[in-house]
Amino acid sequence: MANIILIGYRGTGKSVVAKELGKKLHRNIISTDTIFIEKYGDISKFVNNNGWEEFRKLEEEIINKIKCRDTIIDCGGGVIESKTNINKLKQLGDVFWLKASVDVIVSRIQDCQNRPALTSNNDFITEIKTVLKKRNPLYSIASDIEIITDNKSIKEIVKEISNFINKTKICIPIVETNVHSAKEEILKVNEVADIIELRLDYIEDIDVLKFKQILESVKIPVIVTCRIKEQGGTVDIDDSVRKQIFNCALENKCEYIDIEYGTKWAKEFIGKSEDTKVILSFHNFSETPNLLELNKIYDMINAQNPDIVKFITTANSINDNFEIFRLLENKNNLISFCMNQKGEISRILAPKYGSLITYSSLNTGKVSAPGQVNIEEMLELYNIQNINTKTNIFGIIGEFAENSKSKYMHNPAFDENQLNACFIPFKISSVDDLDKFMNNFKSHNFKGAAVTIPYKIDIIKHLNIIDNTAKRIGAVNTIISTEGVFYGYNTDYIGAITAIQTVADLFLKKVLVLGAGGAARAIIYGLILEKSEITIANRTFKTAQKLADEFHVNAIKMDNINEKLSQFDIIINTTSVGMYPNIDKSIINTFPPNKIVMDIVYKPLMTKFLKNAKKANCTIITGEKMLIYQAIAQQKIWTGKEPDYEIMEQAIVNPTHFQ
Ligand code: NAP
């Protein structure tokens, strides 16, 4: 679990809130001031002798060394004066800014003698006002959640913070068919999830005895579910058995039982136990209704007074997820997301929009509902434990976005730069879908996106400013929103040119571009900037000629292409020939020796085209280099920072991502 970090001015109650939170949540507490005192003695004396600058330097060292989880970190009031501290704290967990008005601060700290002055020549109240004026914008940048403490008891503040903390739990359902294998799976889930769901309808001939045996292995909070067939259950379990199991769950103080909405006897369990919460659930397996309808159904379920409402729908379009995000607004007893591949983003972004639980699976391929993302991806790739209301959302817009490797590059790059950002696939099936999606993208303040086939042109009408390069290429592969203005760029050409330049200079080089599609356009644009002499060859000569005319370069026919190769220094394949699954195909079979040969196909990394080139002792450039360099350029646009090539490469050449 992520740490809880408390920041704020002196007298906003950080230390006492930390203590009470620690008790309530059973978490350890560390205080940066206490660590300082243990190392360097009394802070007032230290500041008098050495000054604030030296204090801040050492404080930064202390914060930089913090390595803990599940802990409450009580920070000194001025930690936010260092940008390094802000970045580090954001990386460590959820940052809460405890705020108080000047009057309240004065009343709380005026009697305390042991606080060194922060400014010179100021009276007590002027000092507070002066320092707050400077620090408030920094507290705002540093924090994920702001808590106003005026007129609130410590208990109330602690409750408010607890409501935010890990609001979204990750639950893994057990979908085994017998007690033995269920117990084995539970042992694995105990280690990685917040909650286990026992889908007892999967167990053959389930009864109370079997339930008890399974329950013995559970070491974390548990949801007991006997799903009925109409709501996705596997077998019909007799009502009397279901009731016996739920009663047994209550006797054993199981944390949750899940009963389907509409079950006549559900009310017998609602409010019956202080230890066991009742989830009243409803699944729509065909669609996601509109918001009005969703709210009506939520109200109907909620009217039964369950502890938690679970309302799951099916996404037929990426835009259905946004209906669920709207449904979640201002509700604190709701589990809601969409099933299906197209609903994946509602599962990943559950912590941003406040679904109490999101469901994941072990890496075994066994899922209890379509669209479940496995736990490794949830934790390692999407960093779901760090997603919160302030997380900036990026993604890839494409018809087959789910197959894109870009998430493996961009998420580690955000991590490396300690940014509160997440990169997810936006699977968009039509131009109409794209139009609606861009409205949602804007209204939900998503930050940026990569754009891929087939929307690099269609995206343009949704943007306010297109940079000149993208205009000239006629396609946008990168968008960013800056203060509500949407910009479009093209980084494909940078990727290709940078990749070639790792082995050769392009100035006045004779370059043969095989193919005349979208990627060829971007590459030709880049080659022109580098003053190469360009020739295009394409299966459909007319297309090559058209492109050549537009960019004032040469076009040749593909006939007898092998015989024409020796006149070129560099040969680039921009066609999709040789791409998985057609890995035995190559557009060129025999190369002349010692040429520079690049293939932009990256699946597989070593294409037949490159293997043939290698046989002729050519210098080869694999397709993932273009992909990585264009992604690095995207990161620069989105974050202003350039990630390490190695970090991106490591993610993309991981063989498991290329199966
Ligand atoms: P595109 O616009 O559809 O163009 C495809 C090109 O391939 C056309 O010139 C087409 O010729 C040619 N082609 C297709 N099948 C062929 C065949 N059997 N024989 C001969 N030529 C054939 O696609 P694109 O966006 O340019 O992408 C092309 C490839 O580059 C894809 O494999 C894509 O994954 C890859 N790519 C890689 C990167 C990277 O970063 N490494 C970036 C972008 C694209 P016709 O005009 O005759 O149809």
Side-chain angles (χ1 to χ4, degrees):
M1 266 184 285
N3 298 296
I4 299 170
I5 297 143
L6 303 180
I7 60 170
Y9 192 77
R10 299 165 170 179
T12 50
K14 289 174 303 227
S15 303
V16 56
V17 168
K19 204 169 143 196
E20 290 307 310
L21 258 181
K23 270 194 227 156
K24 185 177 161 82
L25 304 175
H26 308 287
R27 298 213 199 180
N28 291 332
I29 304 162
I30 60 171
S31 148
T32 58
D33 279 352
T34 308
I35 298 172
F36 187 97
I37 293 163
E38 279 165 8
K39 285 182 105 153
Y40 306 108
D42 179 73
I43 295 177
S44 290
K45 276 190 199 148
F46 184 93
V47 172
N48 284 339
N49 294 336
N50 305 284
W52 277 113
E53 208 178 311
E54 186 60 18
F55 171 83
R56 295 276 171 241
K57 204 177 103 198
L58 297 173
E59 183 180 52
E60 208 180 82
E61 273 177 29
I62 289 170
I63 289 174
N64 196 35
K65 281 188 188 147
I66 295 178
K67 278 195 186 89
C68 55
R69 274 165 63 84
D70 301 349
T71 300
I72 294 158
I73 305 173
D74 167 18
C75 297
V79 285
I80 40 71
E81 291 190 8
S82 145
K83 208 173 157 201
T84 315
N85 286 348
I86 292 181
N87 290 337
K88 174 74 182 177
L89 293 176
K90 277 183 177 292
Q91 195 195 3
L92 282 170
D94 297 317
V95 184
F96 289 81
W97 173 19
L98 302 194
K99 297 171 83 171
S101 62
V102 173
D103 289 350
V104 170
I105 291 174
V106 170
S107 70
R108 286 182 188 158
I109 65 172
Q110 61 192 349
D111 295 326
C112 184
Q113 301 297 316
N114 195 28
R115 297 181 190 252
L118 292 161
T119 56
S120 47
N121 308 325
N122 271 326
D123 65 71
F124 185 54
I125 296 177
T126 315
E127 173 177 292
I128 295 172
K129 284 182 181 164
T130 312
V131 177
L132 278 181
K133 197 169 164 204
K134 182 176 145 209
R135 283 186 186 170
N136 278 352
L138 299 171
Y139 285 131
S140 172
I141 292 168
S143 61
D144 297 304
I145 297 129
E146 299 177 14
I147 305 280
I148 294 165
T149 65
D150 284 6
N151 306 321
K152 283 182 193 157
S153 67
I154 296 300
K155 212 171 155 191
E156 283 168 328
I157 300 167
V158 166
K159 193 169 167 208
E160 206 174 327
I161 295 175
S162 323
N163 284 344
F164 277 104
I165 291 305
N166 300 315
K167 223 179 147 194
T168 302
K169 309 273 186 226
I170 305 176
C171 174
I172 299 185
I174 301 293
V175 289
E176 296 300 317
T177 54
N178 64 65
V179 171
H180 179 73
S181 57
K183 285 169 91 70
E184 279 189 349
E185 289 296 279
I186 289 169
L187 295 183
K188 295 178 209 158
V189 176
N190 279 336
E191 300 301 315
V192 288
D194 300 315
I195 301 178
I196 285 183
E197 182 187 34
L198 300 179
R199 280 292 302 270
L200 298 173
D201 50 290
Y202 276 80
I203 304 281
E204 279 164 18
D205 303 322
I206 185 68
D207 57 21
V208 173
L209 191 68
K210 284 186 178 175
F211 167 54
K212 279 185 179 164
Q213 287 170 347
I214 293 170
L215 196 60
E216 278 168 11
S217 302
V218 174
K219 299 280 175 274
I220 59 177
V222 61
I223 302 173
V224 179
T225 305
C226 307
R227 191 65 77 230
I228 58 170
K229 244 182 160 178
E230 309 87 87
Q231 280 286 289
T234 55
V235 288
D236 271 326
I237 306 171
D238 196 83
D239 259 9
S240 62
V241 177
R242 292 172 70 212
K243 279 170 124 178
Q244 281 170 24
I245 288 172
F246 288 138
N247 274 315
C248 180
L250 261 60
E251 280 159 25
N252 283 279
K253 301 191 175 188
C254 291
E255 286 74 6
Y256 309 91
I257 56 173
D258 179 323
I259 311 179
E260 293 75 20
Y261 171 66
T263 305
K264 283 196 189 96
W265 40 263
K267 54 181 176 294
E268 291 174 28
F269 290 90
I270 293 172
K272 191 171 174 184
S273 160
E274 286 218 333
D275 302 303
T276 305
K277 292 191 165 122
V278 176
I279 301 172
L280 208 52
S281 62
F282 179 70
H283 292 69
N284 182 329
F285 290 101
S286 60
E287 58 167 4
T288 300
N290 63 37
L291 184 60
L292 195 73
E293 192 61 23
L294 286 174
N295 266 313
K296 261 194 216 164
I297 298 168
Y298 166 81
D299 288 342
M300 264 164 32
I301 306 174
N302 199 33
Q304 313 264 307
N305 289 320
D307 297 288
I308 295 170
V309 174
K310 181 179 179 189
F311 183 10
I312 309 303
T313 64
T314 299
N316 297 315
S317 148
I318 184 138
N319 293 300
D320 288 337
N321 295 284
F322 294 89
E323 295 297 316
I324 295 298
F325 297 154
R326 290 185 190 101
L327 174 71
L328 283 162
E329 268 171 35
N330 303 320
K331 298 190 178 70
N332 53 19
N333 70 339
L334 180 59
I335 300 169
S336 193
F337 50 81
C338 299
M339 293 180 285
N340 260 3
Q341 163 92 78
K342 286 177 181 165
E344 199 179 280
I345 71 164
S346 62
R347 294 178 183 272
I348 299 165
L349 299 184
K352 183 169 172 74
Y353 293 101
S355 172
L356 293 179
I357 297 176
T358 186
Y359 293 68
S360 176
S361 60
L362 283 174
N363 301 349
T364 52
K366 290 179 193 163
V367 297
S368 64
Q372 261 170 23
V373 180
N374 78 53
I375 188 75
E376 194 182 322
E377 288 214 339
M378 280 289 214
L379 297 176
E380 308 290 332
L381 177 64
Y382 297 116
N383 236 323
I384 188 168
Q385 285 167 318
N386 287 338
I387 294 179
N388 55 35
T389 52
K390 279 200 172 179
T391 300
N392 282 318
I393 304 303
F394 295 83
I396 179 151
I397 294 172
E399 188 177 1
F400 301 106
E402 73 276 21
N403 296 333
S404 164
K405 308 299 163 203
S406 45
K407 60 189 175 199
Y408 300 115
M409 293 188 290
H410 289 300
N411 282 310
F414 288 138
D415 263 8
E416 187 205 4
N417 283 319
Q418 302 177 5
L419 298 169
N420 184 4
C422 183
F423 188 97
I424 51 183
F426 300 133
K427 181 176 173 59
I428 290 173
S429 306
S430 65
V431 173
D432 182 46
D433 235 15
L434 176 70
D435 294 345
K436 289 184 187 131
F437 174 75
M438 285 312 294
N439 287 339
N440 282 318
F441 190 100
K442 290 173 184 178
S443 62
H444 283 73
N445 296 319
F446 283 11
K447 189 77 185 128
V451 186
T452 186
I453 296 168
Y455 301 119
K456 290 186 184 183
I457 297 168
D458 293 307
I459 194 74
I460 290 175
K461 66 174 179 288
H462 295 284
L463 308 174
N464 305 106
I465 298 174
I466 313 294
D467 103 316
N468 285 337
T469 302
K471 259 190 212 155
R472 183 75 182 92
I473 296 170
V476 161
N477 82 331
T478 308
I479 65 173
I480 182 168
S481 151
T482 307
E483 291 170 6
V485 180
F486 281 75
Y487 295 82
Y489 299 88
N490 192 309
T491 65
D492 280 334
Y493 87 93
I494 301 175
I497 299 304
T498 316
I500 302 169
Q501 284 172 334
T502 58
V503 298
D505 183 22
L506 282 159
F507 185 65
L508 298 182
K509 292 282 162 57
K510 293 186 174 60
V511 183
L512 174 65
V513 176
L514 298 162
R521 277 187 80 84
I523 292 172
I524 289 163
Y525 171 84
L527 291 170
I528 290 171
L529 291 185
E530 298 302 322
K531 306 212 173 348
S532 304
E533 290 175 19
I534 304 154
T535 302
I536 309 170
N538 189 43
R539 176 177 63 178
T540 313
F541 179 67
K542 234 168 78 185
T543 321
Q545 190 64 64
K546 195 165 168 262
L547 189 59
D549 290 347
E550 189 186 334
F551 282 102
H552 308 294
V553 298
N554 306 317
I556 56 169
K557 297 204 165 147
M558 282 294 277
D559 313 342
N560 305 322
I561 190 77
N562 287 348
E563 292 159 23
K564 302 172 190 166
L565 298 177
S566 55
Q567 50 186 295
F568 299 101
D569 305 306
I570 299 171
I571 301 158
I572 307 170
N573 175 40
T574 76
T575 75
S576 45
V577 177
M579 191 169 90
Y580 180 86
N582 303 311
I583 58 171
D584 292 330
K585 299 264 183 308
S586 170
I587 201 152
I588 304 285
N589 291 316
T590 314
F591 285 87
N594 304 323
K595 303 288 173 188
I596 290 166
V597 176
M598 172 155 112
D599 196 342
I600 71 164
V601 169
Y602 53 81
K603 195 176 178 183
L605 291 178
M606 198 59 185
T607 56
K608 182 85 185 294
F609 181 81
L610 291 179
K611 281 182 189 163
N612 291 341
K614 208 159 186 202
K615 271 189 222 151
N617 208 23
C618 296
T619 302
I620 60 163
I621 306 163
T622 45
E624 94 287 358
K625 293 208 164 46
M626 170 175 172
L627 190 69
I628 294 170
Y629 283 117
Q630 67 79 29
I632 288 175
Q634 289 179 319
Q635 280 283 324
K636 269 205 246 173
I637 290 169
W638 291 331
T639 69
K641 292 177 181 168
E642 187 167 328
D644 276 354
Y645 181 89
E646 284 70 29
I647 294 215
M648 310 286 260
E649 186 188 37
Q650 217 173 35
I652 198 111
V653 299
N654 181 334
T656 59
H657 301 156
F658 276 88
Q659 279 161 5

